[in-house]
Structure formats: structure tokens, C-alpha cells
Amino acid sequence: MTPAERIDQLRRSIAHHNERYYAFDAPEISDADYDLLVRELSALEAAHPELASAASPTQQVGAGRLATTFSEVVHRVPMTSLDNAMDVAELEAWGERVAKGLAGEAPQFVCEPKIDGLAISLRYEGGRFVQAATRGDGRVGEDVTRNVATIADVPERLPENQPGRLPQVLEVRGEVYLPVAAFERLKAAKEQENVERIAAGRKPEPVPVNPRNAGAGSLRQKDPSITAARGLALWCYQLGEVVGGRDFTSHHETLEYLRTLGFPVNPQIRVVGSLAEVVAYCHECEQQRHALGYEIDGVVVKVDSLAQRELLGFTSRAPRWAIAFKFPPEERTTLLKAIEVSVGRTGRTTPYAVLEPVFVGGSTVSMATLHNQDQVAAKDVRPGDTVVVRKAGDVIPEVVGPVLSLRPAGLAGWQFPTVCPCPLRSELVRIEGEADTRCVEPACPFQRDQRIIYFASRVAMDIEGLGESTVFQLSDAGLVSDPGDIYALTREQLLTLDKWGETKADNLLAAIEASKSRPLPKVLTALGCKGLGPAASEALARAFGTLDAVMQASEAELATTDGVGPIIAASIVRWFADAANRAFVDKLRAAGVEFGRVEVRRLPQNLTGKAVVVTGTLAGFTREQAEAAIKDRGGKSPGSVSAKTFAVVVGVEPGASKVTKATELGVPVLDETGFQVLLDTGELPQAGA
Ligand code: IVH
């Protein structure tokens, strides 16, 4: 393909995606994939200036002119777009261009979260809200006044009692967005509707894939009462046309002014004095992005001085005085190659997506869970679909949904398999009222491998070097068929395996040997009894002290242990009643597993029933020690703050969201001295003590 042909192809494709995004609120590709297309086009146009065109999407804002059901609004001050910086180097290059443009006069910057919503312009005349418009092509947008008027954050009248006269005309620019909680509610409601539709033999309807699209769709409703019910919100970040009123010299003054008029201005916005601080802000903001309650996709950095902005001016599509620093993508679009089913250690089957690999959320993803049969049906994803894949932070990758407009004609739906994928091909069963479909064959080799993997995992016996691939290799070679067999492995056996040398074999044997002296809670977890996870194991070990005491305890005794409860208690009793399981315990004992004893309740149980959250670094305790100190006194130490939290202990560099939440909920916040008082007395320290 010649450069001219590729440029033409890219322009058409970008124009198509603009329309999908701006006009239909239903994009076919993720923002990150879109950005890649625009970048490629910009680079080609830069390399071939003779092929430049004013009609190119690189020279336009938004979707260009749209066919729309809303009437048109001409923006007196255009609503421009922003240039992007995809990494710190590009951000620094922008900083250098700014410095050069200001001939050495050092700028101050305002850093703002880049809200992933829908740009809006709000017009006030004589202090009254008169019109709201979308960005459109930057010059002409859509009149969405009636819909925007339903948003609680939008002031209807501006207060008169401010110093200086109100401007006759005040245009405020900002972003309308759907808070994550409102999006989750909307999504859950749509999914529930789909479950009911499917049950009634009807076709499921598209479920909103992310807050941005759901928010844009909610705003552009013909019926404003639908908009009103969705719970949209607003952040304001810029002035448009202003006639009369007071003068400003800096951007941060304008934001302060908007605040005093009652507009929501984001509290995360910060004025900084150097580009190094801008970079630090961007990193901080990225770390907190999931704790905000609304979606952001980067940071907008603006030169603060309005006089300096004047000097820097605009390019054809964006101001030179601002830049959007984009975070790495958390959503991408890719091909769903197949749906397969995995079998867990308890026989539970989980459908998962096999994907054309994509880089998302900081890593390359080629598989993603689909949870269960109902989820696949509710999302209606089919092999051959283009799907949206999301991976946010440390969260496991997820298939959000199909891009229906790209579904090939006649693509068949997916049926849950009726037999286990293992060589035994035993029948799968779904118990009435349960979400899971299970393989109930005790000899299923896939379940067996998973039990061994779990046994060796970090939460259980923590055997380094005995991960998934090694277990598969040992199992295929017939060397292990239950977790107890690993203690009988010999050096000679390991050396017969493909790609195993002496060091690798000796390391594994040493790790297996070391696992014999794991503390009781870990061994209890390793048994693999349903419901007996790390937390319940720890609670049992604390209460009973030895494995024999746990085995001899009645169901009622187990059930009254804090953190266990009747369901887990029943499961434990059932597990130990099974002769095969008792034989497994004996096999571990015979192999030398110690089932280490735990000291039972020496300390006063003065924190029983109290949840104490620890955040930040303490001088006298590691995190584990602090949590153990709480648990040793009968308390709990959960990872997050809720209304039920008794106190939050705050050390150095605490998690900001935990402290904010505690303050919001009125949960007492303690320093390390206060924590010591709490440990000693079980009570909060007296104020002023
Ligand atoms: S300022 C001339 N500030 O990002 C400057 N925009 O990629 C105009 N956005 O169209 C925009 N948060 O929809 C600005 N704090 C913020 C923003 C923000 C989100 C959006 C806005 C804009 C787009 C540009």
C-alpha cells in the first residue's frame, strides 16, 4: 500500500469511528486502539506534507458535523480538543515547547484529572441557566438543555451576593459523567433484565460496557426523564464566553470563582510550580484512579497564567498551553477466538475466553474469565466476536461484552459443554438454583491436578517451584496423583523429566521438605476442604490449636468459632467424615508433615468482634505483626474501611482513600500510640490523653 492509500484508509476508518463514538455513543474500538490509528495518520501526514488536508480527522475536533435529532448550537468560543502525551517523555517535550514559547519566563501549571465523560458547555445569562450544548465538531454542538437541566450538580441560578457583578454572559465548560456506582447499578439492572429475557425465550439487549458510553447515552436521550433517572454528575474545568463581570489573571482564579458560584470543581486539582511536580502529580493520580468513584483516563495539564496562555496560542485543533497526559489503556478491543471451560479443584467449571493477545492494563492478555454459564448468556459473547477486554489495575482481565455492530452475519451462539473437557469426558451437572456447572467425577484428572496446584500454592503449603506447569508435567509423567504423592518424589524420578537438571530437582525437593513444617493454618488451608480458606483456617487454628482438636470438634463447636459459621462447619465435618480424606491426612502425617501447633488464646480477648483497619507504615510493627496483634486479641483486621469498622490505625504514607473514608463515615482514626492503648485496653484512647 502506498502512503497515500494508507492515509486515505486511515481517514475513512477514523471518520467512521468518530461517528460511532460521538453520534451513536457506541464505539467499535477502544480509545487506545483509536489513538493508535490517529497517531499513525498524524505521523504519515507529517512525513508527507503534500498529502495534508484540512478535511483530515487530524485537523478536526470530535465527529465533524453530525446528523442529529437535537437542534444546533453555535459555540461563540470554540470547544477545542487537546493534544495527547502518551508517556512522560512526550509530556516533557511539551514542557520544553511551552518554556521555549514563553522565552524563559517560567510557567506555573494547573494539573487536573482528565474526566472520561462528555464535554459540555453551560450558558448562563443574567445569572440564569439558559442553555447546555455538547462539543459537536467544536464549532457547532447539540442543544441538550432539557436533559442537562435534570442533573443535580448543575446550578439553575447563580448567587447574586458575590463580590463584583455577575457577568451578563457566563459560559462554563466541563465534563458530564456517570459515577462508577451509578454505572454499576445501570449495568446490573440491564443484566437482570437480560436474564429474564433469556428465561422468557427472548433475545438479550446490549449491556452498557463502560461509564463513558453509558453516560453519553444517558445524556443524549430524547426523553429527559430517562436522563434524570440515571444519576449523571458534573465537573467544571474551564470558562468559555464571558461578557462583563470581574477580570481574572490565572486559571486557578477562574476555578475558585466557579466554586464560589456553586459549580462543582474537582478537589483533586492542584497548582504546581514545575514540570517535575507535574510528572509526580500524574503518577499519584494514576495510582488513585480507581479510588475516585468516577473514571479518569489521564491528567490535563494547563498553563496557569492567562497572559502566558495568550502568548502560546493555539494550533489548528488544540491549545498549545494545555496537554492531556494519557494513562496506559485499561480497555482494548480484540477478537474472541474461542470459549473454553476450565475445571477447578472442586469440580466447578469456569468458562473463559481465548483471545487474540492484546496489551491492556499493563500486560498482554490472551485469556479472560467469563465467570459462569449465565454470564456468557447475559453478555451474549460468541466465538468470532470482537469483544471489549478490560483489565484495571491488579484486577483480573475481564471480557466486558461484544461489539455488536462488528458481529459477522450468522455467527452462532455458544453452548455450554455437556461433558468435562478431561480425558474421562464425564457428564457435567448443574444443580438447580446454583450458578455453577460441575464435574462430579472423583477421579477427574483435571480436578486432581488443580488440587495439587492449590496444595502447593502460596496461601497453602507455599512450595516454590511447584506451580501449574510443573504439576502438569509431574501428573502427565504419572508421578503424582494426589497432593500427598509429592512427598514421595525422588531425585531420580525428577531427573527423568524433560528439561530437568540437578539444580532444579534439588531445589524442588528442598522446597517440598521445607513445606513439612508449615504452621497449622497453612496446612488446614492446603487440605482443600470446601469453604476452608486462609481466613477460616487461621480462625480454627487459633481456636483449637491442633489438627486433632479440629477433627474432634463437633459441628456446633466449629460453627461458633468467630469467622467460621455453620456452612463451613458443616463442610468441615463432612470432609473429615470421608474415609478417603482421613487417609489423605494420614498419608501427609506419615510423610512427615508436622501440622504445627498453635498457641491458643493467651492474650485477653479484648477486641472480640471489633474490626480494626491498619494503613501505612508503623514504627513498632510490620503490617503482619499489627494484624496479628489485633487477631490475637480476638479482633479482625479487614483490608477496607466500612461503617462497621471500629477504628483505623494510620501510619506513615497511609492509603488516602482509607483515611478519607474513615473521616466520611466518622470512624475513629488512631496513631500508633492510640493503637497501643487499643491493644492494651480494648478501648479507644480518651481524647487529650
Ligand atoms: S480542558 C481548551 N480539562 O478531554 C481546553 N478537558 O481530550 C479544553 N476533559 O474535550 C479542555 N477533563 O472533554 C479539559 N480537566 C479537563 C478535562 C478535559 C476531561 C476532556 C474534554 C476535552 C477532552 C480533550
Side-chain angles (χ1 to χ4, degrees):
M1 202 181 295
T2 67
E5 283 164 352
R6 180 65 184 152
I7 285 177
D8 185 54
Q9 190 183 45
L10 285 166
R11 283 179 185 162
R12 282 169 201 276
S13 159
I14 292 168
H16 168 76
H17 292 306
N18 277 341
E19 187 181 41
R20 297 291 320 171
Y21 184 89
Y22 290 107
F24 301 121
D25 304 319
E28 288 173 348
I29 59 175
S30 65
D31 290 0
D33 294 272
Y34 174 86
D35 285 345
L36 289 177
L37 295 179
V38 173
R39 292 228 139 195
E40 185 186 348
L41 178 58
S42 300
L44 276 173
E45 286 177 345
H48 302 276
E50 71 284 4
L51 298 172
S53 153
S56 170
T58 55
Q59 305 303 308
Q60 291 173 356
V61 172
R65 294 299 274 275
L66 299 170
T68 149
T69 51
F70 296 93
S71 47
E72 293 190 341
V73 175
V74 177
H75 299 300
R76 306 281 283 275
V77 174
M79 289 182 79
T80 53
S81 168
L82 292 173
D83 283 335
N84 291 336
M86 304 309 253
D87 53 35
V88 172
E90 291 187 8
L91 183 61
E92 286 172 344
W94 171 77
E96 277 164 28
R97 289 198 299 279
V98 166
K100 219 164 161 192
L102 297 176
E105 199 189 323
Q108 186 160 281
F109 301 100
V110 181
C111 302
E112 309 180 356
K114 186 174 185 309
I115 316 299
D116 198 5
L118 189 81
I120 200 86
S121 179
L122 309 172
R123 189 176 176 89
Y124 290 79
E125 289 176 3
R128 293 183 72 123
F129 170 62
V130 294
Q131 191 172 58
T134 63
R135 187 170 71 171
D137 67 356
R139 206 180 65 75
V140 180
E142 297 166 313
D143 186 332
V144 286
T145 311
R146 290 189 340 116
N147 294 8
V148 169
T150 69
I151 301 175
D153 287 348
V154 176
E156 216 177 290
R157 266 175 180 280
L158 304 182
E160 306 264 359
N161 57 351
Q162 295 301 318
R165 282 172 55 78
L166 276 178
Q168 290 116 273
V169 175
L170 176 70
E171 234 191 79
V172 179
R173 305 250 162 112
E175 201 87 352
V176 167
Y177 65 94
L178 193 64
V180 174
F183 165 71
E184 297 293 353
R185 272 199 302 277
L186 180 67
K187 188 170 133 183
K190 294 271 177 204
E191 279 173 353
Q192 184 54 38
E193 273 173 42
N194 276 348
V195 170
E196 286 159 20
R197 274 203 177 82
I198 293 165
R202 301 204 322 245
K203 268 179 63 175
E205 295 212 320
V207 174
V209 293
N210 61 37
R212 195 263 156 205
N213 296 342
S218 300
L219 186 71
R220 298 171 78 257
Q221 292 285 328
K222 279 194 196 134
D223 175 0
S225 69
I226 299 182
T227 307
R230 295 278 170 90
L232 290 168
L234 172 75
W235 289 125
C236 295
Y237 48 64
Q238 196 68 39
L239 291 183
E241 189 187 14
V242 184
V243 180
R246 48 168 287 197
D247 284 333
F248 300 99
T249 57
S250 68
H251 178 61
H252 79 264
E253 275 174 19
T254 67
L255 295 179
E256 281 309 322
Y257 181 62
L258 288 177
R259 232 179 234 142
T260 61
L261 292 183
F263 290 98
V265 175
N266 197 313
Q268 308 286 334
I269 293 178
R270 192 187 300 165
V271 182
V272 303
S274 69
L275 207 72
E277 287 171 85
V278 169
V279 173
Y281 179 93
C282 291
H283 289 317
E284 244 174 76
C285 205
E286 189 175 343
Q287 298 229 305
Q288 293 187 3
R289 69 184 290 192
H290 298 295
L292 295 174
Y294 47 88
E295 295 228 306
I296 62 172
D297 58 348
V299 170
V300 179
V301 188
K302 300 172 179 174
V303 170
D304 190 29
S305 150
L306 300 185
Q308 288 182 337
R309 287 188 179 188
E310 199 78 34
L311 271 176
L312 291 163
F314 287 77
T315 66
S316 63
R317 65 185 287 272
R320 289 199 187 85
W321 45 260
I323 189 102
F325 174 79
K326 297 283 280 260
F327 295 151
E330 294 195 323
E331 264 178 25
R332 292 287 304 271
T333 23
T334 192
L335 177 70
L336 173 62
K337 296 201 289 194
I339 298 177
E340 285 172 11
V341 166
S342 69
V343 184
R345 66 191 167 86
T346 62
R348 182 168 82 188
T349 58
T350 307
Y352 64 94
V354 182
L355 304 162
E356 187 64 41
V358 271
F359 188 76
V360 58
S363 62
T364 299
V365 170
S366 53
M367 278 191 287
T369 178
L370 289 165
H371 303 288
N372 59 43
Q373 186 167 6
D374 291 341
Q375 282 278 317
V376 182
K379 288 179 175 161
D380 187 26
V381 281
R382 308 177 184 187
D385 264 332
T386 298
V387 292
V388 178
V389 177
R390 180 173 170 82
K391 179 167 178 282
D394 297 332
V395 181
I396 54 168
E398 185 199 15
V399 173
V400 180
V403 180
L404 289 177
S405 58
L406 294 182
R407 174 170 288 169
L411 192 68
W414 181 75
Q415 301 298 325
F416 205 91
T418 53
V419 295
C420 180
C422 82
L424 298 183
R425 311 225 131 245
S426 38
E427 202 182 333
L428 296 181
V429 293
R430 183 170 177 180
I431 296 160
E432 206 39 55
E434 265 196 27
D436 295 320
T437 305
R438 293 179 178 278
C439 168
V440 292
E441 168 56 58
C444 169
F446 282 15
Q447 288 181 49
R448 188 191 66 200
D449 289 352
Q450 293 301 323
R451 281 198 293 272
I452 302 172
I453 291 164
Y454 184 74
F455 183 87
S457 72
R458 190 151 322 149
V459 294
M461 298 303 259
D462 196 7
I463 303 175
E464 203 176 324
L466 194 52
E468 204 174 76
S469 56
T470 304
V471 170
F472 291 152
Q473 205 180 4
L474 294 171
S475 166
D476 288 347
L479 295 180
V480 289
S481 54
D482 78 52
D485 289 343
I486 60 175
Y487 293 106
L489 286 170
T490 65
R491 195 167 189 256
E492 292 64 40
Q493 285 173 330
L494 293 178
L495 290 175
T496 61
L497 297 172
D498 190 30
K499 301 215 176 74
W500 279 71
E502 293 183 355
T503 318
K504 190 170 173 181
D506 290 342
N507 285 347
L508 180 61
L509 291 173
I512 291 172
E513 190 58 31
S515 75
K516 291 179 182 171
S517 51
R518 293 282 174 255
L520 182 58
K522 292 231 166 208
V523 189
L524 283 173
T525 303
L527 295 179
C529 163
K530 198 176 164 195
L532 190 49
S537 297
E538 204 175 301
L540 281 181
R542 274 172 203 285
F544 293 93
T546 63
L547 177 72
D548 289 326
V550 174
M551 285 174 77
Q552 281 150 23
S554 70
E555 191 170 329
E557 282 169 329
L558 294 169
T560 49
T561 309
D562 201 18
V564 178
I567 297 176
I568 300 179
S571 166
I572 294 169
V573 169
R574 221 180 305 126
W575 197 88
F576 283 113
D578 185 327
N581 290 334
R582 284 201 308 274
F584 170 49
V585 172
D586 290 342
K587 184 167 171 178
L588 295 180
R589 250 194 251 271
V593 174
E594 288 166 16
F595 297 97
R597 233 189 120 79
V598 167
E599 293 285 338
V600 191
R601 291 182 184 150
R602 272 179 304 116
L603 291 160
Q605 299 293 293
N606 54 17
L607 293 178
T608 302
K610 291 176 179 160
V612 181
V613 174
V614 183
T615 174
T617 314
L618 301 172
F621 303 81
T622 63
R623 175 63 58 83
E624 289 72 26
Q625 286 167 342
E627 289 176 0
I630 295 163
K631 289 180 188 163
D632 287 345
R633 290 162 178 79
K636 282 191 212 120
S637 188
S640 61
V641 179
S642 77
K644 293 193 196 132
T645 308
F646 184 70
V648 177
V649 178
V650 176
V652 178
E653 290 188 21
S657 62
K658 290 195 181 125
V659 181
T660 319
K661 189 116 186 243
T663 319
E664 270 171 27
L665 296 171
V667 172
V669 172
L670 306 181
D671 61 10
E672 190 160 347
T673 319
F675 180 43
Q676 198 57 62
V677 174
L678 178 67
L679 292 177
D680 293 343
T681 65
E683 300 297 333
L684 296 170
Q686 297 297 310

